[in-house]
Amino acid sequence: MNTYTRPIEHYDISAEKLLGQTVVDEDGNRIGQVQDILIERDGRIAFLKVTFADSDSSKLAVPWSHVNIDSRISLNIKRQSLARYLP
């Protein structure tokens, strides 16, 4: 088996499981939900697109480097710093 074909069970997480999940800031405060995952042309994940909890129309694209996934999806950013990621 080459490195491009692995059984599905090999992977811990899928995009399908991330969509709609709650996102919290580094203090555990709810920010919103995952709306989309933005991927670079080379296949790397670039951003997590998040819809704010208090507004269906406000969305932000958080760099993947700020995303932590363990038992929940959290950002290593304080809520008040999120404004710089608004479109």
Side-chain angles (χ1 to χ4, degrees), residues 23-24 26 37-40 44-50 61-69 73-78 82 84-85:
V23 178
V24 298
E26 66 182 13
I37 298 168
L38 307 175
I39 300 172
E40 297 281 356
R44 290 180 301 126
I45 297 174
F47 295 93
L48 193 67
K49 190 173 178 183
V50 178
V62 180
W64 186 249
S65 59
H66 291 299
V67 177
N68 300 308
I69 300 174
I73 302 170
S74 61
L75 307 178
N76 57 1
I77 303 171
K78 295 233 182 251
L82 291 174
R84 70 178 131 180
Y85 300 109

Side-chain angles (χ1 to χ4, degrees), residues 1-81:
M1 185 179 299
N2 65 40
T3 58
Y4 299 108
T5 56
R6 293 185 181 146
I8 290 175
E9 299 80 30
H10 172 80
Y11 300 97
D12 292 331
I13 222 158
S14 71
E16 181 179 51
K17 288 183 181 178
L18 293 178
L19 298 177
Q21 294 296 314
T22 298
V23 178
V24 298
D25 66 11
E26 66 182 13
D27 295 323
N29 301 311
R30 185 171 186 263
I31 294 171
Q33 290 184 312
V34 176
Q35 182 188 32
D36 206 351
I37 298 168
L38 307 175
I39 300 172
E40 297 281 356
R41 290 180 191 252
D42 65 4
R44 290 180 301 126
I45 297 174
F47 295 93
L48 193 67
K49 190 173 178 183
V50 178
T51 303
F52 272 109
D54 51 356
S55 169
D56 286 339
S57 61
S58 294
K59 297 173 181 61
L60 61 137
V62 180
W64 186 249
S65 59
H66 291 299
V67 177
N68 300 308
I69 300 174
D70 43 42
S71 61
R72 63 184 184 175
I73 302 170
S74 61
L75 307 178
N76 57 1
I77 303 171
K78 295 233 182 251
R79 186 177 179 93
Q80 54 270 36
S81 301

